[in-house]
Amino acid sequence: MEKIIFLKYGELSTKKDNRNFFIKKLNENIINSLEGKVDVSYDYGRMFIKPHDDNFEDVIKHLQNIFGIHEIVVAYKDEDKELETIKNNLKSLLQEKTFQTFKVEVKRSDKKYPYDGMMLRKDLGAFILKNIPYLKVDVNNPEITVNVEIRLTEVLYYFESIKGLGGYPVGTQGKGILMLSGGIDSPVAGYLATKRGIKLEALYFESPPHTSEEALNKVKKLAQKLAIYNQDIKLHIINFTEIQEEIYKNMPHEYLITIMRRMMYRIGAIIASRRGAKVLINGESIGQVASQTLTSMSVVNEVVNIPVIRPLCCFDKLEIIDIAKKIDTYETSILPYEDCCTIFVPDHPVINPEKEKAREYENRIDFDEMIYRAIKNEQVIVVKNKNQENDEFADLL
Ligand code: ATP
Ligand code: MG
């Protein structure tokens, strides 16, 4: 018998026409993420992964960070499909385990196999009972489920499985631009969008000298956490200082945030179109702050045509924090460095801004020129998956 890992696709296998595309992409993502460490092969129902140096634990850890995998199973494979061999294999595998109760499940994808599933289940159950003393069958709540899969060219044996992340393989839904600040919300929004198969690029607005190098490093660190699920992430860094100072000098203060966010959206949409991204993604959550009331959102949103996805729009803050902790961004997000939004916060931001007013204020100044300059001067860095590279930003914070 050969020890291997196989994956169950879960939701992916329900995608009729796209199924092949989804599975191909998953295969590609796994090969990229585990470069040189595994051999991968697949068919419609299963993907098989053979770790090169039998380092199963390390490979499983990687697989647990890849979207599109429903279950990860460590199995034993034998090409000999004789019933006698199946029994002997089960006996030797089960003797190594300590358990009291079990049930047998048989999956028979080889429809020409001479025995049917029901008969096999009974026969194998009886064989186990006879050969391993003091075991009992418990069909409702067994300690161990003995799974036997009779496939065309082999039999698979397995006893437990590890839950995968689920979702869709990254890239199957194209690309999105995540507006990534240093806060708690936007990394979580990015994670959830990735889960649906969107490959992220990140966009950060900095305002030096009002924002520090540490604030930027914090964003790089957060991008690195998201790169675990994205292979790597392109981080676009836009110098927002000129625009922000002009807004501060010239716009009524209650509209500072509204107009600032309209500028961010405009820049985001231009970068998205240049990068071939289909959506903007951000961490807005309805009602969380003045700039996230439905009215504010619609006044800000009117400046772009591209769809804006807000994965957290209906989440409570505590639910968001739970996910942030789970994906290990929380501790970085709560580091105290100032974000460009927090520096220019007015005392009384308007809660129900008006589109006409926002347009009129903006028209007082030629922002187009400044937007053009900001984009022309963007810096782009590629943040690597920390699994592949050393943690290059760890020392910077
Ligand atoms: P977060 O916790 O993600 O910072 P927040 O609750 O502080 O969010 P805002 O500051 O109003 O909310 O920002 C709302 C969203 O706008 C953020 O979630 C993020 O997607 C985007 N955003 C805010 N500031 C920046 C920035 N400096 N660079 C890029 N995107 C930003
Ligand atoms: Mg913020």
Side-chain angles (χ1 to χ4, degrees):
M1 275 178 287
E2 185 188 9
K3 189 176 172 189
I4 44 141
I5 294 168
F6 79 79
L7 309 177
K8 296 188 182 177
Y9 305 134
E11 196 181 329
L12 293 196
S13 52
T14 62
K15 306 252 152 254
K16 273 197 198 104
D17 297 336
N18 278 335
R19 186 173 159 138
N20 237 348
F21 167 66
F22 276 78
I23 293 170
K24 261 199 183 136
K25 193 76 194 171
L26 178 62
N27 179 55
E28 195 184 300
N29 291 350
I30 290 173
I31 290 171
N32 280 339
S33 163
L34 283 155
E35 220 176 317
K37 292 187 180 168
V38 292
D39 290 324
V40 189
S41 62
Y42 62 93
D43 60 29
Y44 254 170
R46 301 278 180 255
M47 190 168 292
F48 294 95
I49 298 179
K50 178 82 190 153
H52 281 171
D53 43 16
D54 275 355
N55 194 349
F56 280 75
E57 240 171 74
D58 185 39
V59 168
I60 289 170
K61 247 196 243 155
H62 269 80
L63 294 170
Q64 282 179 298
N65 287 329
I66 295 178
F67 284 118
I69 299 173
H70 187 67
E71 268 178 70
I72 304 162
V73 183
V74 177
Y76 297 85
K77 181 172 108 171
D78 192 348
E79 280 159 22
D80 185 346
K81 293 165 69 178
E82 289 297 322
L83 189 54
E84 272 319 294
T85 313
I86 293 179
K87 287 179 176 170
N88 287 334
N89 281 345
L90 277 179
K91 191 171 160 189
S92 66
L93 288 171
L94 289 171
Q95 265 165 353
E96 288 169 13
K97 299 190 170 290
T98 35
F99 62 103
Q100 307 282 323
T101 59
F102 75 101
K103 74 170 172 182
V104 179
E105 292 283 2
V106 174
K107 191 168 183 256
R108 186 170 151 278
S109 49
D110 175 6
K111 297 297 174 207
K112 294 202 174 108
Y113 195 69
Y115 313 103
D116 71 35
M118 177 83 95
M119 178 260 149
L120 282 168
R121 211 165 50 232
K122 280 192 185 148
D123 193 31
L124 296 177
F127 172 82
I128 294 169
L129 282 174
K130 199 172 120 206
N131 282 273
I132 307 181
Y134 51 78
L135 283 186
K136 281 204 181 90
V137 173
D138 180 347
V139 285
N140 296 318
N141 195 16
E143 269 175 75
I144 278 195
T145 300
V146 177
N147 290 282
V148 179
E149 282 194 25
I150 320 262
R151 291 165 51 85
L152 232 44
T153 52
E154 72 251 323
V155 181
L156 295 175
Y157 307 88
Y158 60 96
F159 310 102
E160 59 234 319
S161 71
I162 302 157
K163 214 167 159 335
L165 277 186
Y168 296 149
V170 174
T172 49
Q173 299 296 327
K175 202 188 282 176
I177 301 289
L178 170 68
M179 299 166 69
L180 181 62
S181 68
I184 295 169
D185 302 327
S186 45
V188 174
Y191 172 82
L192 293 175
T194 312
K195 180 168 191 171
R196 290 290 89 192
I198 301 173
K199 164 92 178 154
L200 300 183
E201 292 194 12
L203 166 60
Y204 172 60
F205 297 94
E206 61 168 0
S207 297
H210 313 295
T211 58
S212 61
E213 190 71 18
E214 281 97 340
L216 171 62
N217 286 332
K218 189 172 143 179
V219 170
K220 288 181 184 169
K221 177 93 190 166
L222 291 170
Q224 194 179 52
K225 300 271 182 198
L226 292 171
I228 292 175
Y229 313 97
N230 275 269
Q231 306 302 331
D232 53 42
I233 289 191
K234 270 207 176 78
L235 173 61
H236 301 257
I237 302 163
I238 293 280
N239 187 317
F240 205 48
T241 311
E242 184 187 16
I243 295 174
Q244 204 156 21
E245 286 177 351
E246 284 304 311
I247 295 173
Y248 197 72
K249 265 190 268 168
N250 298 299
M251 304 287 116
H253 276 199
E254 55 167 3
Y255 271 73
L256 286 186
I257 299 218
T258 310
I259 293 175
M260 187 182 77
R261 297 195 62 74
R262 284 163 66 103
M263 298 302 157
M264 286 183 172
Y265 271 49
R266 286 195 177 97
I267 293 173
I270 295 169
I271 289 179
S273 118
R274 289 186 169 190
R275 297 295 309 150
K278 296 191 182 97
V279 288
L280 282 181
I281 301 151
N282 69 35
E284 289 172 340
S285 177
I286 300 166
Q288 202 185 77
V289 285
S291 61
Q292 294 173 26
T293 61
L294 288 182
T295 317
S296 286
M297 284 196 215
S298 80
V299 173
V300 172
N301 208 144
E302 75 155 353
V303 301
V304 296
N305 285 321
I306 185 171
V308 180
I309 294 186
R310 303 173 178 86
L312 305 180
C313 70
C314 298
F315 281 41
D316 291 346
K317 193 74 189 188
L318 288 178
E319 294 170 320
I320 299 169
I321 288 174
D322 274 352
I323 304 175
K325 286 183 176 164
K326 198 182 91 189
I327 62 171
D328 195 29
T329 52
Y330 182 73
E331 293 300 326
T332 307
S333 290
I334 58 173
L335 293 172
Y337 313 112
E338 293 289 341
D339 176 33
C340 72
C341 302
T342 43
I343 306 168
F344 294 96
V345 176
D347 290 339
H348 301 289
V350 58
I351 290 171
N352 287 309
E354 291 167 42
K355 287 179 180 163
E356 295 71 21
K357 283 191 180 164
R359 289 175 206 152
E360 185 207 317
Y361 298 150
E362 273 173 15
N363 283 336
R364 295 178 185 172
I365 299 230
D366 185 4
F367 281 112
D368 286 350
E369 188 67 21
M370 287 181 250
I371 288 176
Y372 171 77
R373 250 198 312 277
I375 292 174
K376 205 176 107 209
N377 294 328
E378 76 163 347
Q379 278 181 63
V380 182
I381 59 170
V382 178
V383 180
K384 297 269 186 200
N385 179 353
K386 145 159 137 327
N387 288 330
Q388 296 166 1
E389 297 269 309
N390 289 330
D391 191 352
E392 58 185 310
F393 305 117
D395 301 337
L396 300 176
L397 289 173

